[in-house]
Structures are given as C-alpha cells and as structure tokens.
Amino acid sequence: MDTAWFLGILDAEGQLLADAAQEAGMTASVPSCPGWEVRDLLRHTGVVHRWAAAFVADGHTAPRPMGEHPELDGPGLVSWYRDSHRRLVDTLAGAAPGTQCFTFLPGGPSGALAFWARRQAHETTVHRFDAESARGGVPAPIAADFAVDGVDELLRGFHARRKSRIRTDRPRVLRLRTTDADAVWTVHLSQEPPVTTRDAVGVAECELAAPAQELYLALWNRLSVPALSGDPELATLWRETSAVV
C-alpha cells in the first residue's frame, strides 16, 4: 500500500463520484448524508480536494482553514468538481517524494504524500458512495484490502485523537472483524480517546462482523450496523457518537 496505489484509487473514485453526481442531478437528495443535496456533496468534496492539494503544493506545515464553497451549480459545478479532483491528483503525482507539509492523523503511512493520497482516497470513496446513493442503482464495489485500510485509518487515526467523542464512563471493549479478509480490531473504550489494537486479545462485550466493504461503510455510518453479537449498546454508542469532527 504505497502512494501510487492510493493515487490510483483516488483518481478512479473521483471520476466515479463526478459521473454519479452528474447522473443524479444537483437537487437529488443524498440518503447517506441527511439534509444534503448532490450540490452540497460536490461543493464540500471539491473544497476538501483543493484544501489538501494546497498543503502539498505550497509545502505548508501548519493547519489552515478550508476555502469557501463556490456559488456554482448545475454543469458548472460538476466541471468545477472535476477540476478540483484533477488538481489534487496531479499535485500529488507531481510532488517530490520528500515533500513536507501539514498532516493531521497519527500513525498511517510514512510521509506527507502518502498521508494525503491515503486520506483523500478514503474521503473520495466514501463520498462517491454518497453520490451513488443519490443516483440510485448498485454502487461500485470497494476492494477488501482498501476497505481494511480504511477501517484502520478510522480507528487508529481519527478515533485516536482527543477529538473523538466515543467515550464510556467505565472501561468497555468492542471488537470489529472482517469476514472476507484476515483483519480484526479490538477497541478499548473509556473516558479517554479509544485505544485500538490489531488483534483479538481478551474478551469483547460486543463484536461487529461483516465483509470489509460493509464494515468500512457501516463505521462511516453509511450502512446499518452489520452482524452483531453481545451488547448492542456499544453499537448504538458508535452510531451516535462516532461522527468525525
């Protein structure tokens, strides 16, 4: 799983997102993002792409806010999104391997380029699913190895930060398992940020198991919780408090 691998996925997923959005139309509701229309999805994802590309292009090493959403709509908005996506892919592909810039998640691949290629590949994949949910029909598949990586990024990246709201008043243990790949995570919950390990050590009070693609989308709250055993309270806790902020 290197930068080129993530870049290939990012490239393909962005094109799928734009195609699905164009087919759905700007006013179509996005079922997986309540309250959003397709126009909101394109504006958000395009701004994120431009924000990420600028860190790499400028070698900027400190946080900075995202830009304003464009006032564009209709075909002009789709074209703007396609340009935003292309700018991101081309910036990452053309950057020097040792580029230094701001990143914001612990762990993960080494180096800023790999970080941004990975992060934007997952950002775009999840929002591509959103666009396809607005269009209707069968969504494009997500490869198991990429989905496993995405679960890992979510658990050991996003929810290792102090911003994570998944907290319990006493120690609890949640286990997550893929049924089509050799991947299992044990999430230790407490009043502090979750601590996740790639193992099945100890007793878990609740286990969620599903094919990697379904587990990935469920943990990003795009699908319902997969097969569950044990205490359903922990699955409810995840659904209610896991939104990334």
Side-chain angles (χ1 to χ4, degrees):
M1 295 181 183
D2 58 13
T3 302
W5 184 73
F6 288 118
L7 270 179
I9 295 171
L10 169 60
D11 194 355
E13 291 287 340
Q15 294 179 56
L16 288 172
L17 191 162
D19 291 346
Q22 185 170 337
E23 293 165 12
M26 298 302 99
T27 61
S29 297
V30 182
S32 50
C33 297
W36 273 21
E37 295 178 336
V38 166
R39 58 165 63 100
D40 302 306
L41 181 64
L42 286 179
R43 289 168 180 163
H44 164 79
T45 313
V47 164
V48 171
H49 287 342
R50 288 170 182 254
W51 174 75
F55 281 116
V56 177
D58 300 343
H60 196 80
T61 57
R64 59 185 177 188
M66 295 185 192
E68 296 295 323
H69 287 191
E71 296 298 326
L72 296 166
D73 208 344
L77 179 57
V78 176
S79 295
W80 175 86
Y81 172 75
R82 290 188 191 275
D83 179 70
S84 304
H85 171 250
R86 181 48 46 198
R87 180 181 302 188
L88 172 64
V89 173
D90 289 349
T91 297
L92 291 172
T99 293
Q100 299 293 313
C101 67
F102 171 73
T103 61
F104 62 89
L105 293 181
S110 176
L113 282 184
F115 167 84
W116 282 111
R118 181 199 202 197
R119 174 80 290 277
Q120 287 299 291
H122 287 298
E123 175 88 9
T124 309
T125 299
V126 171
H127 287 317
R128 181 268 296 167
F129 178 86
D130 293 333
E132 291 178 341
S133 74
R135 181 199 63 193
V138 178
I142 300 171
D145 54 352
F146 181 69
V148 166
D149 181 77
V151 172
D152 208 66
E153 184 204 42
L154 182 60
L155 296 178
R156 301 205 289 173
F158 280 103
H159 288 298
R161 303 181 302 166
R162 296 212 65 83
K163 288 183 177 182
S164 177
R165 297 181 299 115
I166 307 174
R167 309 294 177 98
T168 54
D169 57 1
R170 59 183 175 85
R172 308 289 301 273
V173 179
L174 172 67
R175 182 156 295 137
L176 308 166
R177 187 186 305 273
T178 60
T179 57
D180 59 346
D182 185 18
V184 59
W185 298 263
T186 299
V187 185
H188 299 271
L189 303 171
S190 68
Q191 296 181 18
E192 296 298 316
V195 175
T196 300
T197 54
R198 283 289 296 266
D199 58 37
V201 175
V203 177
E205 297 164 70
C206 177
E207 178 170 310
L208 307 181
Q213 169 178 294
E214 294 178 23
L215 186 62
Y216 174 61
L217 292 170
L219 293 178
W220 276 107
N221 294 315
R222 263 54 185 191
L223 294 179
S224 59
V225 172
L228 179 153
S229 60
D231 187 351
E233 180 181 315
L234 291 184
T236 301
L237 175 72
W238 181 277
R239 185 177 64 253
E240 293 179 348
T241 63
S242 67
V244 169
V245 295

